[in-house]
Amino acid sequence: MADDFVKAVEDGLKLSKRLYFGKDRPVTPPKVPSSMDKSGAVDMLLPKSPMVYAVITDPKIVDNPDIPSYQPYVHGRCDPPSLIPLQMNAVELDVDCYLDTAFVRVSGTWRVHCVMGSKSCDCRIAVPMGDQGSILGVEAEISGKSYHTQLIALGENDGAGKSASVETGSFLKPNIFTLTLPQIDGGSYLSIRLRWSQKLSYRDGEFSVNVPFKFPEYVTPAIKKIPKREKIHLNVNAGTGTEVLCNTSSHPLKQLRRDVGKLGYSYESEVLKWSNIDFDFSYTVSPSHIFGGVLLQSPSVHDVDQREMFCMCLLPGTAKSRKVFKKDVIFIVDISKSMQGKPLEDTKNALAVALSKLDPGDSFNIIAFNGETYLFSTSMELATKEAVERAHQWIGINFIAGGSTNICAPLTKAVEMLTNSRGSIPIIFLVTDGAVEDERQICDAMKSRLTNGGSICPRIYTFGIGSYCNHYFLRMLAMISRGYYGAAYDLDSIEIQMQKLFTRGFSSVLANIAIDTLKDLDEFEALLSNLASPVAFSSSLAYFCSMMYPSRIPDLSSESPLIVSGRYQGKFPDTLKAKGFLGDLSNFVVELKLQLAKDLPLDRICAKQQIDLLTAQAWFSEDKRLEEKVSKMSVQTGVLCEYTRMIIVETDERNNASESPGTKKVGSKKSDHQKILDSEVPKTIMLQNLGIGFGDLTATAENFPPGSEIPKLPEVAEIFVKAASNCCSTLGNKCCCLCCIECCNKLNDQCVIVLTQLCTALACFGCFECCSNLCCCGQDG
């Protein structure tokens, strides 16, 4: 889809040469990279900031709505449609940073500057988001009409409203959401508000946020007299009660306020052209040692869960001298046929970097698998220079894509090899792009093995490539074992995302974390943020629901804070203690102070992680009640999930305004009362399912590579037409046109009728053969 989008934008920029803006400023579209440099063209023309495009199917309508000019006649239509980037007249960016999450709002005004005033076109909105971004909503106002998105539960309003194509609303890439608004008049102004959330980056006590805010030059209005105002507002609430220090900023921000744990900045200026760099901001909140706290908050009256909320945050600090854990690492890599090409090559590159980061005292092994299992060594090898070199050679020989996918055998073998680890952290990295039938059985087996595996069980870090693997299975597998989960839905991000997961696994600073028993609570349900695992604590008075969560908290990594959030009933203790052991195997205890979260939206901060984790649990347990709970959370918070769908709601205020009291139109087909009723009912457009799904067994069995589309069987009607046409063409090939004409001239009416019936019968025989082929393939005839 990204390649098609780029080609459409390239065609749109060529079409924009038809526009004339007078002598004030001629518009020269940017030079597009040649077809030889495909990667450069994709990188240049994909949106790197919120953008709006005019969807052009008829090139004749492309013209300046204010200054009509002579245009050469254009034959034909744009198929597929071209995309002309609209000019932007104003933009405002608001960023709120809470704990490890940023909430971003962009408000802007765009104009359909490239379509005749008497014509209209669809307009496509593109929303690029930062790290692990999640779209929260789109609102638009155009000439008396308003549009907004909302989520509904699956099955709700089925049949109401019209269904939309993929182009109406979908993810162009995992971090780029697109939405199409129908039939906007040329010359119209679009006032659009976009909302999404994204993760903050964290390293050595420093948080940083990066928001796509790089506008191409051709969205700057062509007329210089139009004022262009750019605004940025930033709020930081670390939630830790400690001092926050600003480190870097990409834009000249002015400090408005500074309190304990909080910062406020703004920037506003008249500009000649829009920002051509992303918005970056970094700040430090962490002292040198491990520390944390607990935030408490009561639910709002509209919350579907009326239990009290809590959020525990544990930060790793910035100490450089802290002893790292000794590691026993096994890399399990899928080498099935679908991994052929870029997925396997990028995996090999990331694996080479990971091997180079192992210390000589660490041990490692490598297992490649498809339908069979291939071991680098029958036992763990010390990470000496010689052993690592032999591993590189073995990878070059054995990482040949081919065969099917069997995850259970290599995973079981790896757990057996790490069962007796002593004085080290046992880690398994599982990399796959496919789904298998026995995923729930694998989770059950691993849960049983790891629960009885001693004080230091193997951590399983899972990594999914593409959309055909079951990412919720991989997430659940990591949850069971104190591990973490990573993914690359986009093939271009495989290597960098895999390296991030390897680095996180190698950078644990506190292991076997446990929290004091909460004796005074009647009910305590916790979920771990940052792609970690859910936890349930209880006392003798605790209420056990049917959802049983693993009781293991993942290790604290220097690469990210550890956040536990959830609900409770009863009296929360004044302080909590988190316990674990450090890299030198010494015991460590940290006291977590309690504070009320007055200015933190805890339900929204942790919504994305909670929904993902509960969805994995719902898949594993096949619990319909848990699915319903996830659906309600999704609708309440606006975060997409597998059990909700997004719809576009259109409201036309002009209909109500045109109905003045006491007036009546003569000859109307509908009564005035019916017209008012119709105008009051908003129109809805149901978008395609935007979830990632639960894997594709068929695609895995057929070894379709990640990112490819599964070939669809032709429609039955197409097969019938093809069979009939093939039959007639075969007959036609046996005689020339002149012979046929001379023969037909000598036929009487009766012969013509008989010949017509014969041709019809032959066509039916061709259709009969087609039906037979369908039946043989096991399809419905």
Side-chain angles (χ1 to χ4, degrees), residues 411-428:
L411 189 58
T412 302
K413 183 65 177 178
V415 172
E416 290 175 353
M417 297 180 72
L418 294 176
T419 300
N420 297 321
S421 295
R422 294 290 183 271
S424 61
I425 297 292
I427 302 174
I428 297 172

Side-chain angles (χ1 to χ4, degrees), residues 633-711:
M633 290 178 61
S634 174
V635 172
Q636 175 182 309
T637 60
V639 177
L640 286 167
C641 79
E642 300 295 335
Y643 312 114
T644 55
R645 291 185 67 176
M646 181 177 284
I647 62 172
I648 305 174
V649 181
E650 174 189 339
T651 305
D652 194 342
E653 301 293 340
R654 297 172 301 182
N655 289 338
N656 292 332
S658 63
E659 296 291 340
S660 56
T663 61
K664 185 175 181 180
K665 295 182 180 181
V666 181
S668 174
K669 294 182 180 180
K670 289 186 178 181
S671 65
D672 290 346
H673 177 68
Q674 184 62 42
K675 285 185 177 180
I676 295 175
L677 290 178
D678 291 344
S679 65
E680 291 177 349
V681 177
K683 299 178 182 178
T684 61
I685 303 174
M686 186 87 65
L687 301 187
Q688 301 286 335
N689 194 342
L690 300 175
I692 60 175
F694 297 95
D696 194 320
L697 293 173
T698 302
T700 303
E702 297 294 333
N703 276 315
F704 290 120
S708 65
E709 294 185 3
I710 301 177

Side-chain angles (χ1 to χ4, degrees), residues 288-335:
S288 60
H289 56 276
I290 298 174
F291 79 107
V294 178
L295 301 168
L296 301 180
Q297 192 173 81
S298 297
S300 66
V301 293
H302 304 293
D303 200 327
V304 296
D305 191 339
Q306 285 298 305
R307 293 177 295 175
E308 299 291 309
M309 294 181 288
F310 79 95
C311 182
M312 182 197 79
C313 184
L314 197 62
L315 285 88
T318 59
K320 300 288 186 180
S321 59
R322 189 182 295 118
K323 181 178 176 60
V324 298
F325 283 96
K326 178 184 174 183
K327 301 175 287 293
D328 297 331
V329 184
I330 297 181
F331 301 93
I332 306 177
V333 179
D334 186 348
I335 60 168

Side-chain angles (χ1 to χ4, degrees), residues 104-180:
V104 183
R105 299 181 303 279
V106 174
S107 303
T109 303
W110 286 263
R111 191 186 186 215
V112 186
H113 72 289
C114 55
V115 174
M116 299 176 181
S118 59
K119 302 294 182 179
S120 61
C121 68
D122 294 347
C123 288
R124 192 171 184 184
I125 304 170
V127 189
M129 299 171 286
D131 187 32
Q132 300 179 44
S134 177
I135 188 70
L136 298 178
V138 177
E139 301 174 22
E141 295 180 2
I142 307 104
S143 304
K145 283 187 178 181
S146 64
Y147 301 86
H148 72 272
T149 60
Q150 70 181 59
L151 300 181
I152 61 172
L154 283 181
E156 184 180 336
N157 291 341
D158 280 354
K162 55 182 180 180
S163 183
S165 63
V166 175
E167 289 76 14
T168 303
S170 62
F171 284 95
L172 187 64
K173 280 194 164 192
N175 65 326
I176 302 178
F177 176 72
T178 63
L179 187 75
T180 301

Side-chain angles (χ1 to χ4, degrees), residues 14-36:
K14 293 175 182 177
L15 268 179
S16 64
K17 294 179 180 180
R18 294 168 57 91
L19 301 176
Y20 175 71
F21 294 95
K23 298 179 180 180
D24 185 39
R25 179 184 173 189
V27 177
T28 303
K31 294 182 180 180
V32 180
S34 64
S35 57
M36 296 294 292

